[in-house]
Amino acid sequence: MSAPPLLALHGIFKRFGAVQALADVELEIHAGEVVALVGDNGAGKSTLVKVISGVAPADAGAVEWEGRSVQITRPHEARDLGIATVFQDLALCDNLDVVGNLFLGREIRRFGVLDEVEMERLTLGLLDTLAIRMPSVRLPVASLSGGQRQTVAISRSLLGEPKLLLLDEPTAALGIEQTAQVLDLVEQLRERGHGVLLISHNMGDVKAVADWIAVLRLGRNNGFFDVTTTSHEQIISSITGATDNAVTRRRAYEREVEL
Amino acid sequence: MSRPPAVEKARPDERAGGGGVESYFDTFKRRFRGGELGSLPVALGLVVVWLIFESLNENFLSPRNLSNLSVDIVGVGLISIGVVFVLLLGEIDLSVGSVSGLAAAAFAVLNVNQGMAEGPALLLAILCGTAVGAVQGFFFAKVGVPAFVVTLAGLLGWNGLMLYILGTSGTINLDDKGLLAGLTNFYFNDVAAAYGLAALGTAGYFLASYQDARRRRAAGVPSRPLSEIIVRTAVLAAITLAAAYVLNQFLGLPLALLIFLVILVGLDFVLRRTSYGRMIFALGGSVETARRTGLNVDLVRISVFMVSGTMAAMGGLFLASRVTSASQTSGSGNLLMDAIAAAVIGGTSMFGGRGRTWSALLGVLVIQSIASGVALMGIQTAVQFMITGGVLLIAVVIDSLSRRAQKSHGRV
Ligand SMILES: Nc1ncnc2c1ncn2[C@@H]1O[C@H](COP(=O)(O)OP(=O)(O)O)[C@@H](O)[C@H]1O
Ligand SMILES: [Mg+2]
């Protein structure tokens, strides 16, 4: 085996009251790889993202980061490891401007005072590299369009070069051109050796950029596939559960062979 | 893949935000259309109120009346600054009136009844407000009781505590030559004080703006054009020098006004230029986002209620200073409503996340101007209440409309 995975989850459980959102979930993400996480609505995808990002820590289970066992119980612990997240609901502060949102919780200070000039300069630079056009970075994000808000959330996650990026349906509110940009971005990140977990309902997007596809069904693993050797039908059926048993049985075997 | 890489640079004129003067004005226009009116409506409203009362009674804009006004606003104004902090979280503090009365009573009892020196008694009375805020903030942030309910309990409870410590004496008269009385009856008679303050404030504003614009230009980010800085500075100079002139026509610069302005500017700085202030705004925008970003939500919430309690106590001491006594009616009456109304009239949003400490000054000026104008003309206070109520309604309507404009503007 080569280097240990960037992130490895073992036996993750998470319960919300009566709902067992995640049960015995396993997941591995290697540096330089894009793992797509797919599953029906309510399968537990967003919950898994919240577990990894420290927003909703797991009830039970082990997390390994670059081969070391770690605890992620708070958002800043995940951030300190190098994990950045674009949440499904974007998690922006509507009243703050673009710069304020990008640097929230990690403001740049100069003599203890917010250095707005430097933060604005870095924001403009980042948006520029991402070829994102914004009417102004000094407008409250409430006044931006859905697509613009999504690009703000994505830009925020890229600030500070994360090692692992979690994207929870990042292209949901985007047009065709912007979606293509985000997918390009995902590929660039992979080429630069970052790990990406991409949640998407669009099989076309998933097939275009992902190396692996992990399927969640009713809070449990329901298959881990190599994109190049798996048919569309196979993935769909494990999402919907049509081949529940067969896939579950094959999963462990496939992982051993292919990893 | 055949698509061009995303790293390709956008053309200079398409850069996010762009540089220079045009994009600066563009931002301003967009903000305006997006419903961010800031203090413009209240500033206009204040001018209208003054013109109406001056046309009804020529004593209204007399130096004596305006000078008194500038001292009368300080007590409520300080309380209102604390209310601004709480409103920024999107919460409310109904206890500020009672807390202000409690602080006045605490000072009176410590100083007059217990014989403690004025300085330590003053400090303890203020800290009493801080402690009250910490308790209320704890129940709100850690226990999860809605702020509305916690501070409603405080409204009753702290008022009860005040009555209890005042005991049978009812009213305690304070030393009218002492430190506390001096807070509102000391004036810098030297004309240089008022003019000096005006000049200092204006020069400080100009230097800060100029320096900021220079750093922005050097960094290649949009900056305020020099012409606009000059216009703004000139407007500020005109207002402050006129105020200084008027104050010097009477007794000079009031100490109370100086203290109020220093606190106002200081806390404005805290809100807009520090990470702590940014956290308060973030919480007012979205608590969930703040939590996911890893901000210490509970600590910020508790601290904001501590600020509110502290400011309420300070306001209460200035109000006691004005009448040189603490009594069972301290902190009662319209005080609570005035303090909250002032913040809202001044442009701080009831919905959280939008506002400035300056709204406390502007709002309280409007409220006290109405009170003073009505009193000058000898009309019943009933009329004053109706006018103030109407103004508050207008302010809340503007707040709601601008919020809606912001929500709909640009959204797809
Ligand atoms: N905060 C929460 N409280 C209660 N139930 C939740 C919460 N978050 C998610 N759930 C439940 O957990 C399950 C998985 O949700 P989620 O992870 O959002 O699914 P997905 O993102 O795959 O659509 C759903 O049944 C959902 O109702
Ligand atoms: Mg989801």
Side-chain angles (χ1 to χ4, degrees), chain A residues 181-199:
Chain A
Q181 268 183 20
V182 171
L183 296 181
D184 284 342
L185 193 74
V186 169
E187 293 197 317
Q188 283 173 35
L189 289 167
R190 171 176 51 204
E191 268 140 45
R192 297 214 300 257
H194 302 261
V196 179
L197 182 71
L198 174 71
I199 297 179

Side-chain angles (χ1 to χ4, degrees), chain A residues 15 27-28 33 44 64 107 121 154 187 215 247 253:
Chain A
R15 171 182 281 278
L27 185 73
E28 279 189 7
E33 282 183 359
E64 276 172 39
E107 292 86 4
R121 192 181 69 80
I154 294 173
E187 293 197 317
V215 182
V247 171
Y253 168 76

Side-chain angles (χ1 to χ4, degrees), chain A residues 82-203:
Chain A
I83 299 173
T85 314
V86 176
F87 293 100
Q88 187 165 11
D89 61 7
L90 305 184
L92 297 173
C93 282
D94 274 351
N95 59 326
L96 297 184
D97 59 22
V98 177
V99 179
N101 269 290
L102 250 62
F103 285 90
L104 185 61
R106 50 183 155 171
E107 292 86 4
I108 297 176
R109 276 170 293 187
R110 190 166 161 261
F111 313 120
V113 177
L114 295 182
D115 190 350
E116 295 286 357
V117 178
E118 180 64 7
M119 290 193 278
E120 188 165 333
R121 192 181 69 80
L122 291 174
T123 302
L124 291 173
L126 180 65
L127 296 184
D128 214 18
T129 5
L130 301 176
I132 292 171
R133 268 162 252 144
M134 215 41 91
S136 161
V137 293
R138 284 303 179 189
L139 285 177
V141 298
S143 60
L144 299 180
S145 71
Q148 287 168 333
R149 290 159 58 81
Q150 202 137 26
T151 54
V152 171
I154 294 173
S155 316
R156 177 176 64 183
S157 71
L158 293 176
L159 199 68
E161 286 274 315
K163 289 181 180 168
L164 174 63
L165 190 62
L166 312 175
L167 299 168
D168 194 349
E169 306 199 18
T171 56
L174 298 185
I176 295 173
E177 196 189 341
Q178 284 171 313
T179 301
Q181 268 183 20
V182 171
L183 296 181
D184 284 342
L185 193 74
V186 169
E187 293 197 317
Q188 283 173 35
L189 289 167
R190 171 176 51 204
E191 268 140 45
R192 297 214 300 257
H194 302 261
V196 179
L197 182 71
L198 174 71
I199 297 179
S200 176
H201 282 295
N202 186 326
M203 277 307 141

